[in-house]
Amino acid sequence: MAIRFDANKQLFHLQTAATSYAFELVEGKYPSHVYWGRRIRGNQLHTLVERAERASFSPHPVPERGNISFDTMPHEYPGYGNSDFRTPAFEAQYDNGTTVTDLRYESHEIIQGKPALPGLPAVYAESDDEAETLRVKLRDSLSGLAVTLTYTVMESLNVITRSASFSNEGSGTVLLRRALSMSIDMPGDRFDLLHLSGAWSRERDVYRSPLRPGMQSIESRRGSSSHMQNPFVALLEHGATEDAGDVYGASFVYSGSFLAGVEVDQFRTSRLFMGINPFDFGWQLEAGETFQTPETVLVYSPDGLGGMSRIYHELYRTRLCRGAYRDAVRPVLVNNWEATYFDFDADKLEAIAAVGSELGMELFVLDDGWFGKRNSDTNSLGDWFVNKEKLPGGLQDVAGRINKLGMQFGLWFEPEMVSPDSELYRAHPDWCLHVPGRYRTEGRQQLILDVSRPDVQQYLIETISGVLSSAPITYVKWDMNRNMTEIGSALLPPERQRETAHRYMLGLYSVLEQITSRFPNVLFESCSGGGGRFDPGMLYYMPQTWTSDNTDAISRLRIQYGTSIVYPASAMGAHISEVPNHQVGRLTSLQTRGHVAMSGNFGYELDLTEFTDEDKAIVRDQIAEYKTIRPLVQFGDFYRLRSPFEGNVTSWMFVSKDRTESMVVYVQVLNEPNEPLGRLKLKGLDPSRNYRLAGTDRIYGGDELMYAGIAAPRFHGDFGSALIRFIAE
Ligand code: DGJ
């Protein structure tokens, strides 16, 4: 049993294979956090919580119990207005304009399995014995607002998920002004906060800083999870490292605006919270209606940041991603974007594919520019019919030519967008997000379709399905290239305008659910100007994401390293592109570009017809090698060895689940004169086995490789790299 309730102690104890999470009902009414961390036997946990009477500035709700105060209680789902002055998990406003809510325990149930969240992406259990779920119902008797806290324990995966749902069981209207998915009051403040922040083409840099008193948070107000902040935070106990120490991760399964952070209070309790961004959010609940928050995924690891990452990788790879490609190796692709941009015809595409096929590539992806009258990014989004000037034989003809070369054919879309210069916009000017009478701000000369509208959803499903049925298309790149402005919907009444952004996400999820189920054998890759929506919400529908528009091998070290904090390599698109690199102008060798890109879903994005014979020989070998290591990269365990945020060298490695195969990638950015000789200690191998260095007869002990290490590779020149494989004897 993963979840137990001790009625005497009023204690809920949730256990995974390696962790415990517990909370109690103070006075039988108020859910109060007790513990989250390494697994604890039995139910002695209540003895952990100490209470002390505080000054009158921390009032107490039970008059005769001076040592109970909401201001000091470690809450499981704090409200506001009756003496907890810290940041609340929710705020509800009633017909009389007031915002005070008094939630008290009403009932609970424990069920096998993990029910889906209606209309939302979420981690799933394949069978009921993989998970157990606790629902705790709290109720405000005056208003009739009920809040159900849902906890699911995935025992063997070492994961606990949390969400909340609000039901209006009263007769009035309730306006939700804030509805976070979870809040946990962690004892003490001896933690560092880690988050992944960046910008377009510089996504997911790793930031770590000690907590200080007060609020510290990250958020997106862009209507997407964003390049700037990823919906993830971790608390690392002071001194925790990549390999050791207590780490607590919280990851948000959502693709829209979010808020995540920590408030350290006067008694040094650290309140960790995460959910839909309350900024510009509101949700009106009429009598009988329910609102479900998205899910947060909580991971505790005593084995440092690396241990936490591997738990997320396994979970997201196997119980978040879905579909035929979840467990299938991903094809080596060539994409024409950086090769041609908008300037191509069918012969040019075929010529690129012909070289790709000769070199072992498996999928040709036709990127932007195949539809409407699109010869630049100024028009035609929404007009998803073939540009007959460029492709007179249509998609059938292009796909046929590609298939004849023995390759699969994939296609780019940007379905959520509309160009003002398009047939779609001229026919339906009301179909975009906008506020009546206000200027419609464009980004890349485009507006955003109002995907909260059922008619827009239907249009998207039918139009995209029509194109996918019109030719043998086995891969889709689903792009999205701007953020929301003038967020309003022509179909919603005034009092529901602040629901638009979340309704958009629900609409998008519904469209994705229907399209991906109609085309179960198509591999979908999500993209938002690269990694602007690299989040668990999108991974639920599409098992891989274009990691960044920046394909420079050296920039990618930081981008892929930062992304690996939460997301598995099987989720990351990684391509070799041309030099000088189009984003940063850097020159790196084909080898280094290959070693970095081979650490994800590998592909090429350059004009293959310009390859010399020497390039072709290198690329042929790269692809052959990638095909050998592909299952290891896509399904193996990932270990970070050296951080690009800490020095001149980046290194990581993959180890197969049975620990028989491994691969190390090592990149040195700048060469140094007369440099010291370095050692690199490997991780994750079996210490009792011997491993052969691939391509040689040299045998090493697993213990030797991990405890003594190997001589760090040395290079002549900048941007040197090595890919080293050890295979068990
Ligand atoms: C942004 C994407 O990230 C690129 O890879 C490319 O598909 C362009 N959009 C096309 O407009």
Side-chain angles (χ1 to χ4, degrees):
M1 263 200 333
I3 301 176
R4 280 180 290 176
F5 177 62
D6 183 328
N8 288 331
K9 294 171 184 149
Q10 296 281 289
L11 183 82
F12 293 96
H13 187 179
L14 287 56
Q15 289 171 310
T16 74
T19 71
S20 278
Y21 183 108
F23 59 97
E24 62 178 333
L25 297 171
V26 170
E27 298 288 305
K29 298 179 197 141
Y30 310 116
S32 173
H33 187 72
V34 172
Y35 174 75
W36 179 25
R38 207 182 268 257
R39 183 181 161 107
I40 287 177
R41 278 180 294 115
N43 270 352
Q44 302 312 311
L45 285 158
H46 68 300
T47 56
L48 288 176
V49 178
E50 265 191 282
R51 299 189 210 292
E53 188 158 354
R54 302 288 181 177
S56 62
F57 294 95
S58 294
H60 34 90
V62 186
E64 59 282 11
R65 298 285 303 278
N67 64 353
I68 295 179
S69 163
F70 287 161
D71 200 24
T72 59
M73 190 188 286
H75 292 268
E76 275 298 287
Y77 201 68
Y80 171 78
N82 42 14
S83 83
D84 185 348
F85 299 94
R86 297 165 290 179
T87 198
F90 73 98
E91 189 184 11
Q93 186 167 21
Y94 305 100
D95 284 338
N96 63 7
T98 65
T99 52
V100 177
T101 305
D102 183 7
L103 287 183
R104 297 177 181 205
Y105 169 83
E106 188 176 272
S107 62
H108 76 268
E109 59 171 346
I110 298 172
I111 56 169
Q112 275 307 123
K114 184 174 192 299
L117 296 189
L120 285 163
V123 162
Y124 59 89
E126 277 205 324
S127 61
D128 279 355
D129 56 7
E130 283 185 356
E132 214 168 282
T133 296
L134 165 67
R135 291 199 188 107
V136 180
K137 182 173 178 188
L138 315 171
R139 199 161 185 282
D140 177 43
S141 59
L142 188 64
S143 66
L145 177 66
V147 178
T148 300
L149 305 182
T150 300
Y151 300 77
T152 294
V153 177
M154 305 192 72
E155 198 171 351
S156 62
L157 286 160
N158 277 314
V159 165
I160 294 172
T161 63
R162 278 192 63 178
S163 68
S165 71
F166 295 78
S167 299
N168 183 355
E169 297 179 356
S171 52
T173 300
V174 178
L175 173 63
L176 289 178
R177 296 161 52 119
R178 181 181 181 97
L180 300 187
S181 296
M182 72 94 190
S183 180
I184 302 175
D185 285 342
M186 311 273 291
D189 64 350
R190 293 181 46 74
F191 298 106
D192 295 336
L193 176 66
L194 183 141
H195 53 95
L196 307 173
S197 306
W200 171 80
S201 89
R202 183 165 46 77
E203 295 93 337
R204 291 172 294 285
D205 276 357
V206 179
Y207 287 85
R208 177 176 178 168
S209 48
L211 291 184
R212 51 177 168 72
M215 286 288 283
Q216 38 243 281
S217 61
I218 55 162
E219 63 185 314
S220 164
R221 295 189 209 104
R222 296 175 166 267
S224 78
S225 51
S226 85
H227 298 90
M228 298 75 193
Q229 305 290 353
N230 198 258
F232 166 80
V233 288
L235 287 177
L236 288 78
E237 220 164 59
H238 284 171
T241 64
E242 176 64 23
D243 302 303
D246 288 340
V247 177
Y248 304 83
S251 164
F252 194 34
V253 189
Y254 191 61
S255 315
S257 297
F258 72 93
L259 171 69
V262 180
E263 181 181 10
V264 176
D265 71 15
Q266 58 184 327
F267 302 115
R268 303 209 181 92
T269 297
S270 302
R271 174 166 290 176
L272 173 67
F273 52 87
M274 179 171 262
I276 292 177
N277 199 336
F279 179 86
D280 202 23
F281 166 82
W283 198 275
Q284 190 154 304
L285 273 186
E286 299 299 344
E289 286 184 350
T290 295
F291 178 82
Q292 171 67 55
T293 74
E295 178 166 277
T296 47
V297 178
L298 303 175
V299 168
Y300 160 77
S301 167
D303 303 319
L305 202 55
M308 180 209 73
S309 297
R310 281 183 291 281
I311 294 173
Y312 276 118
H313 292 175
E314 187 69 3
L315 178 77
Y316 284 173
R317 196 174 59 70
T318 64
R319 293 294 180 272
L320 175 69
C321 293
R322 301 175 299 166
Y325 272 96
R326 186 189 77 176
D327 303 324
V329 290
R330 313 287 164 77
V332 178
L333 66 80
V334 53
N335 175 306
N336 74 307
W337 177 241
E338 291 199 6
T340 64
Y341 293 105
F342 295 101
D343 184 16
F344 58 82
D345 58 20
D347 290 342
K348 178 68 189 173
L349 302 178
E350 187 180 2
I352 295 174
V355 182
S357 157
E358 176 197 332
L359 300 178
M361 297 175 204
E362 298 158 316
L363 164 70
F364 176 86
V365 179
L366 171 52
D367 210 280
D368 195 351
W370 59 267
F371 53 92
K373 55 179 172 93
R374 189 140 165 117
N375 292 314
S376 72
D377 58 13
T378 57
N379 58 60
S380 296
L381 292 171
D383 295 346
W384 300 110
F385 46 83
V386 173
N387 180 327
K388 286 277 170 96
E389 271 174 34
K390 279 185 192 171
L391 306 173
L395 291 174
Q396 271 288 353
D397 169 58
V398 185
R401 297 196 204 193
I402 304 296
N403 289 165
K404 266 202 202 116
L405 294 165
M407 294 173 90
Q408 301 175 47
F409 177 67
L411 198 59
W412 179 97
F413 291 91
E414 195 177 356
E416 298 155 69
M417 298 292 148
V418 62
S419 306
D421 180 6
S422 66
E423 292 184 19
L424 181 69
Y425 189 73
R426 283 184 281 275
H428 298 286
D430 254 20
W431 274 18
C432 65
L433 291 177
H434 68 280
V435 172
R438 302 246 171 240
Y439 181 70
R440 299 179 180 191
T441 307
E442 294 175 19
R444 208 192 189 201
Q445 293 96 17
Q446 60 200 56
L447 297 166
I448 305 186
L449 284 177
D450 177 2
V451 185
S452 73
R453 295 173 63 125
D455 48 2
V456 171
Q457 294 164 23
Q458 212 41 47
Y459 150 82
L460 286 175
I461 293 165
E462 274 156 27
T463 312
I464 306 299
S465 299
V467 178
L468 293 184
S469 308
S470 74
I473 296 165
T474 59
Y475 163 103
V476 166
K477 179 174 172 186
W478 184 294
D479 205 349
M480 193 281 279
N481 282 305
R482 58 157 295 181
N483 292 139
M484 293 181 187
T485 55
E486 292 90 28
I487 303 174
S489 173
L491 283 197
L492 291 174
E495 63 280 10
R496 289 194 180 271
Q497 286 297 317
R498 282 167 77 108
E499 298 177 11
T500 305
H502 181 58
R503 285 187 183 274
Y504 177 103
M505 294 318 308
L506 296 176
L508 174 64
Y509 290 147
S510 161
V511 167
L512 290 175
E513 182 67 34
Q514 295 190 55
I515 293 182
T516 53
S517 350
R518 275 195 200 181
F519 299 92
N521 296 317
V522 170
L523 171 60
F524 286 84
E525 174 157 346
S526 118
C527 173
S528 173
R533 224 165 37 181
F534 202 133
D535 60 59
M538 296 310 280
L539 285 176
Y540 181 71
Y541 303 97
M542 316 198 202
Q544 59 189 61
T545 301
W546 180 224
T547 313
S548 175
D549 274 349
N550 188 343
T551 45
D552 168 62
I554 302 305
S555 305
R556 275 292 185 122
L557 295 173
R558 293 164 77 113
I559 295 168
Q560 290 175 208
Y561 189 100
T563 305
S564 81
I565 299 289
V566 189
Y567 306 99
S570 60
M572 292 186 219
H575 301 171
I576 288 182
S577 63
E578 191 172 79
V579 288
N581 175 269
H582 291 196
Q583 289 75 34
V584 295
R586 198 169 358 244
L587 286 160
T588 51
S589 68
L590 251 184
Q591 171 175 296
T592 299
R593 280 176 278 158
H595 289 165
V596 177
M598 283 155 84
S599 300
N601 297 323
F602 189 43
Y604 292 79
E605 186 147 348
L606 72 176
D607 190 348
L608 306 182
T609 62
E610 288 178 6
F611 271 167
T612 62
D613 286 346
E614 195 192 334
D615 293 336
K616 282 187 181 173
I618 296 173
V619 168
R620 193 176 281 112
D621 287 351
Q622 272 175 340
I623 294 173
E625 181 162 35
Y626 184 71
K627 286 180 181 168
T628 322
I629 58 164
R630 172 160 56 179
L632 172 62
V633 169
Q634 296 180 3
F635 310 131
D637 287 333
F638 183 76
Y639 293 85
R640 292 178 290 262
L641 306 181
R642 292 281 163 80
S643 166
F645 300 97
E646 288 167 12
N648 193 31
V649 162
T650 301
S651 183
W652 54 58
M653 71 182 286
F654 297 87
V655 181
S656 62
K657 293 279 172 210
D658 62 4
R659 298 199 281 178
T660 58
E661 281 194 61
S662 68
M663 154 187 152
V664 178
V665 172
Y666 185 96
V667 183
Q668 178 177 282
V669 178
L670 296 180
N671 207 358
E672 286 181 38
N674 208 9
E675 62 185 334
L677 301 181
R679 292 213 138 245
L680 183 70
K681 293 181 181 174
L682 308 194
K683 296 178 186 171
L685 300 173
D686 182 344
S688 63
R689 294 191 76 152
N690 285 338
Y691 292 83
R692 188 171 45 78
L693 176 64
T696 73
D697 348 319
R698 278 166 32 211
I699 306 293
Y700 298 77
D703 47 0
E704 179 189 356
L705 293 170
M706 293 195 292
Y707 311 148
I710 57 172
R714 292 197 293 144
F715 309 99
H716 187 66
D718 294 337
F719 316 132
S721 74
L723 189 151
I724 308 159
R725 293 168 58 203
F726 289 98
I727 296 148
E729 281 291 281

